[in-house]
Amino acid sequence: MGLEKLLTCPSIRAGEKYRASQEMASLEDKPMVLTSHVDELNAYPQIFVPVIKKYFRIVWWADFENDQERYANEIQGILVNGGLPKITSELLDTLPNLKIVSTLGVGTDHLDLQLLKSRGIKVSSVPDVSSDCVADWGMTLLVAAARKLPEAMKSATDTATPFNYNILGKKITGSTLGIVGLGRIGYRIAERALGFKMRVLYNDITRRPEKEAALSLEYYSSLDKLLPNSDFIITVVPLTPQTHGMMGREQFKLMKKSAIFINIARAPVVQQDELVEALQSRTIQAAVLDVTSPEPLPPHHPLLHMPNVIITPHMGANSLESRRGVVEAGCESCTAAIQGKAIPREVVL
Amino acid sequence: MADKPLVVASLADHELYVKIVEEHFRVVWWEDYIKGPEKYNNDIQGILVDAYGRLKRVDGSLLDHLPNLKIVSTLSVGTDHLDLELLFKRGIKVSRVPDVSSDCVADWGITLLVGMARRIVEGVDSAKNPATPFDFNIMGKKITGSTIGVVGFGRIGYKIAERAYGFSMKVLYYDVFRRSEEEEKKIGATYYSSVDEMLPHCDFVILIVPLLPTTRGMIGKKQFELMKNSAILVNVARAQVIDQDALVEALKNKTIRSAAIDVTYPEPLPDDHPLRFLDNIIITPHMGANSEESRRGVVVAGVKSCIAGVKGEPIPNEMLQSMMY
């Protein structure tokens, strides 16, 4: 029975009406935010909706599109998940009371920050909650590719594939890892690599002497000098004009023929067609991509059909704790902006 | 050619072995030997064996026919496929390769752990297999800061713990022997003298014990019930350390979350074995030591021991009776 009906129905006991009215009031108190949609595969899974409902009344995109007039003035925040909803000037025009756009993730490359700045709208992201989780994933991809785990699984479980004792992988212990981008996640990857007694090199636009000292890392100011020395290369940079396309034909040529390349950053960091060429010509041994252009790749894309390529569906932050934590953090930032308070994890424009 | 001593070799069929072995010995490969053993029996001075070849057990049925056998050199860590008592009784030398592949196996143990925890096989299937939808929401199990129980804290077990520590995992361990305080402190390890006491605290359990009468079936129904519902079990030891039928039940009933096993019995499993059809298991074909460097290193070391045994010289990596548990 809907809340409104319950409150007006004479036969419902007073206690229940009280509880219902409390719930309705608490709903009415909560500010309204706009967000995309629920989809178990492609958007929010249902399990995270209660997290958002703790903070907000939710307007789903489909409902907003159908009835903008009803919601437009009340919407004070937008939660962006998986790049949706897309923030355009047309959208902003319809939302006079919008205070903040909170993106539920690390990256802000999908947001027109200049546009938001020009409209005086705050922006927040979640750069830190998922760092361990993504670092765990980076290492997982590295070791799985090195030791050919997907191939191994197939050999042992797929009756059409012969059981093969001789699937030989690449040595991990004592090998050299080159980390491109030593931010929160890159640093944590270094920590894990050291547990495997790997030698760790890094390239970053900023040298980080304390981090270097703490973990005995070797700094390379030039990416091109880092590449030939590495058995594994992992890119963990934000997508910026400087990092766009930073890994291309020349870089793959500089890498060892036996090297494995892993990308857990953003797809455009890699010149994808040139990666395909490098793999086909055995310029490098193998590649692992958690991010592709587009996502997903079309079914006939060569990367989907190469045995020395691992593709995964953008799952770096995918532990329950991490994903839930990211949603919570995003909601906290959004709430703070709506209340006019200092915004945790604000993206300074 | 006549100078080189004759050995019988039962090894996985791989080019790595052939060159290195034939450099030092005349070799009769097992498949040829069994066609006409009488031709070779009196001349055989060494046996080269590993975990992968056709000869599954070195015991009286073979040894009784080899009067001039000096050494059995197994290209593996494990010796559970050798009748050690009989060999020592007959004064035949034994060697194995206990350390060359330790890092490699430790790397693999962790690979299976993180691979299962983060569901990488499902991820790859989702992204690459056109029959499976692309799924952004494959949720894995937290690794950083979780608790790992290492069952067996020998060379490989300790190295596994070092790698786990790199992920800021809390390390618990069980072994019949306790490590030094310094070794424990280095990786924050907590000792348990009882597996059953350790299991309820673990998010991950990894088995890395030798197969002995005391470890056979050590993980069974009771142990699965003691483990958390959310726990993941990894086996890079020997298949018989686990009661395999109990494992099937535990996975079906979700008594534990999932398992990743590098070893089964038999190996491979029959086509219709229930383990093949569960969606919460990774099975791999006994590949702990499978890097080029490691496999080559094991062969080189094993061959070296075999040469020494045949020549009557001191044998590197000799297995002595006193070393049996």
Side-chain angles (χ1 to χ4, degrees):
Chain A
M1 186 184 278
L3 279 174
E4 287 173 16
K5 230 182 159 180
L6 189 150
L7 285 169
T8 53
C9 176
S11 60
I12 301 294
R13 287 197 305 277
E16 284 178 38
K17 283 189 182 177
Y18 176 76
R19 273 191 295 280
S21 71
Q22 285 295 95
E23 187 185 328
M24 203 161 147
S26 74
L27 265 183
E28 279 171 351
D29 285 346
K30 290 181 182 150
M32 190 177 275
V33 297
L34 172 65
T35 191
S36 59
H37 61 295
V38 169
D39 184 297
E40 294 304 311
L41 299 182
N42 293 313
Y44 295 106
Q46 182 62 37
I47 44 167
F48 297 140
V49 174
V51 176
I52 306 171
K53 281 191 169 169
K54 275 191 318 189
Y55 297 84
F56 305 117
R57 281 177 294 149
I58 303 174
V59 179
W60 300 105
W61 179 260
D63 297 326
F64 175 74
E65 272 195 321
N66 280 340
D67 198 349
Q68 280 189 24
E69 277 177 24
R70 182 169 170 189
Y71 302 110
N73 286 347
E74 285 196 70
I75 289 170
Q76 299 192 62
I78 300 178
L79 298 177
V80 176
N81 184 55
L84 297 175
K86 193 123 176 58
I87 311 297
T88 60
S89 52
E90 293 74 31
L91 174 61
L92 298 179
D93 288 342
T94 65
L95 303 173
N97 294 311
L98 180 69
K99 297 197 170 67
I100 180 165
V101 170
S102 292
T103 182
L104 305 186
V106 184
T108 53
D109 48 279
H110 55 293
L111 298 175
D112 186 341
L113 297 176
Q114 285 314 307
L115 171 64
L116 290 160
K117 184 175 183 179
S118 70
R119 303 286 185 106
I121 294 167
K122 304 285 188 183
V123 178
S124 73
S125 67
V126 190
D128 54 347
V129 168
S130 59
S131 305
D132 282 324
C133 193
V134 181
D136 289 345
W137 185 237
M139 274 321 281
T140 299
L141 292 177
L142 186 155
V143 297
R147 295 297 292 269
K148 302 186 180 171
L149 177 57
E151 188 185 330
M153 170 80 176
K154 199 163 176 218
S155 170
T157 54
D158 176 20
T159 47
T161 313
F163 190 89
N164 182 3
Y165 278 121
N166 295 319
I167 300 171
L168 298 187
K170 188 177 167 63
K171 192 171 90 124
I172 299 168
T173 298
S175 65
T176 301
L177 170 64
I179 300 178
V180 184
L182 199 75
R184 289 176 187 83
I185 301 169
Y187 184 79
R188 283 164 175 75
I189 290 174
E191 286 179 319
R192 285 145 184 73
L194 292 173
F196 289 82
K197 314 278 190 285
M198 294 174 90
R199 181 179 162 221
V200 181
L201 322 175
Y202 80 100
N203 165 253
D204 196 297
I205 46 170
T206 315
R207 186 163 186 178
R208 305 183 188 258
E210 282 150 24
K211 293 184 174 184
E212 252 176 73
L215 300 183
S216 303
L217 309 176
E218 295 171 47
Y219 176 65
Y220 281 74
S221 57
S222 149
L223 174 65
D224 288 1
K225 295 232 169 73
L226 173 95
L227 297 172
N229 291 300
S230 304
D231 300 301
F232 300 90
I233 292 284
I234 187 164
T235 38
V236 205
V237 289
L239 180 60
T240 65
Q242 293 75 36
T243 65
H244 196 282
M246 75 188 302
M247 294 296 299
R249 183 177 296 120
E250 293 311 311
Q251 285 65 45
F252 297 123
K253 267 203 216 149
L254 285 167
M255 287 170 64
K256 296 186 187 184
K257 273 202 184 318
S258 58
I260 295 181
F261 171 65
I262 302 128
N263 187 15
I264 55 168
R266 284 285 174 271
V269 165
V270 177
Q271 305 216 34
Q272 197 165 272
D273 293 339
E274 293 179 8
L275 172 63
V276 172
E277 266 176 43
L279 288 161
Q280 284 169 340
S281 59
R282 303 209 175 284
T283 306
I284 62 171
Q285 180 180 146
V288 187
L289 306 175
D290 190 46
V291 285
T292 57
S293 311
E295 223 159 75
L297 291 166
H300 299 296
H301 197 284
L303 285 171
L304 294 178
H305 302 279
M306 297 166 107
N308 55 342
V309 176
I310 288 178
I311 312 271
T312 50
H314 204 144
M315 24 194 303
N318 280 16
S319 75
L320 269 180
E321 292 88 342
S322 171
R323 288 281 295 272
R324 183 182 289 122
V326 168
V327 174
E328 285 270 13
C331 289
E332 277 170 18
S333 301
C334 194
T335 300
I338 289 169
Q339 292 173 354
K341 296 182 181 158
I343 302 168
R345 303 181 173 92
E346 183 175 358
V347 176
V348 178
L349 302 172
Chain B
M1 215 13 196
D3 292 337
K4 289 189 195 168
L6 181 66
V7 299
V8 60
S10 166
L11 305 175
D13 177 31
H14 197 264
E15 33 186 82
L16 256 187
Y17 292 118
V18 174
K19 275 206 211 108
I20 300 172
V21 176
E22 289 188 345
E23 199 187 321
H24 298 283
F25 299 112
R26 282 179 298 135
V27 186
V28 53
W29 298 97
W30 184 255
E31 293 72 24
D32 297 321
Y33 170 78
I34 50 176
K35 286 184 194 155
E38 328 75 43
K39 273 190 275 178
Y40 309 102
N41 281 338
N42 283 347
D43 293 330
I44 287 171
Q45 299 192 57
I47 297 176
L48 287 170
V49 65
D50 70 15
Y52 314 114
R54 298 266 176 82
L55 174 61
K56 293 301 178 195
R57 189 157 176 75
V58 177
D59 59 17
S61 59
L62 173 61
L63 298 173
D64 287 348
H65 304 287
L66 306 176
N68 294 310
L69 181 68
K70 296 201 173 74
I71 179 163
V72 173
S73 178
T74 180
L75 306 191
S76 63
V77 184
T79 51
D80 48 277
H81 55 299
L82 310 177
D83 187 341
L84 292 172
E85 291 216 26
L86 183 61
L87 287 161
F88 292 134
K89 194 164 162 208
R90 299 205 178 160
I92 297 168
K93 303 289 186 181
V94 178
S95 72
R96 72 280 192 256
V97 189
D99 53 358
V100 166
S101 58
S102 304
D103 282 322
C104 195
V105 180
D107 288 345
W108 186 235
I110 292 290
T111 300
L112 288 178
L113 186 153
V114 297
M116 189 71 248
R118 294 297 293 268
R119 300 168 66 185
I120 189 176
V121 174
E122 285 176 71
V124 174
D125 194 53
S126 169
K128 284 188 97 173
N129 181 355
T132 321
F134 192 92
D135 183 354
F136 281 109
N137 293 322
I138 299 173
M139 298 294 178
K141 186 177 165 65
K142 189 170 94 128
I143 298 169
T144 298
S146 63
T147 299
I148 183 174
V150 185
V151 181
F153 222 48
R155 289 175 190 84
I156 303 170
Y158 192 82
K159 285 171 188 287
I160 286 173
E162 285 178 319
R163 284 145 185 74
Y165 188 65
F167 285 83
S168 301
M169 293 173 90
K170 180 154 181 262
V171 176
L172 314 178
Y173 77 99
Y174 162 80
D175 196 294
V176 285
F177 300 114
R178 186 167 178 174
R179 289 260 180 172
S180 73
E181 202 181 312
E182 196 195 327
E183 286 172 320
E184 285 182 351
K185 230 172 157 180
K186 209 164 147 232
I187 51 175
T190 303
Y191 177 65
Y192 279 78
S193 56
S194 148
V195 177
D196 289 1
E197 274 172 34
M198 185 177 78
L199 293 176
H201 303 287
C202 301
D203 300 302
F204 299 93
V205 178
I206 185 160
L207 309 175
I208 185 62
V209 286
L211 181 59
L212 306 165
T214 45
T215 64
R216 186 176 288 269
M218 78 188 296
I219 304 295
K221 184 165 193 281
K222 180 176 176 206
Q223 285 66 41
F224 289 121
E225 278 162 15
L226 285 167
M227 287 168 67
K228 294 185 187 183
N229 276 12
S230 58
I232 295 181
L233 175 68
V234 179
N235 189 10
V236 285
R238 286 284 176 272
Q240 296 88 338
V241 170
I242 300 180
D243 174 347
Q244 198 165 267
D245 293 336
L247 174 65
V248 173
E249 286 310 300
L251 290 171
K252 273 195 189 151
N253 300 331
K254 312 251 189 271
T255 312
I256 63 170
R257 178 177 167 135
S258 56
I261 57 178
D262 191 45
V263 284
T264 58
Y265 59 91
E267 221 161 77
L269 291 168
D271 283 0
D272 59 354
H273 196 283
L275 282 175
R276 286 185 186 268
F277 301 102
L278 296 168
D279 59 13
N280 52 346
I281 189 163
I282 285 178
I283 308 175
T284 51
H286 203 145
M287 28 196 293
N290 279 20
S291 73
E292 297 247 357
E293 292 86 348
S294 173
R295 289 282 286 270
R296 176 183 299 273
V298 168
V299 176
V300 166
V303 165
K304 223 168 149 189
S305 299
C306 196
I307 295 168
V310 165
K311 286 187 181 168
E313 290 168 1
I315 299 167
N317 293 318
E318 186 176 358
M319 174 90 179
L320 300 171
Q321 187 148 23
S322 53
M323 292 173 179
M324 286 175 68
Y325 292 95

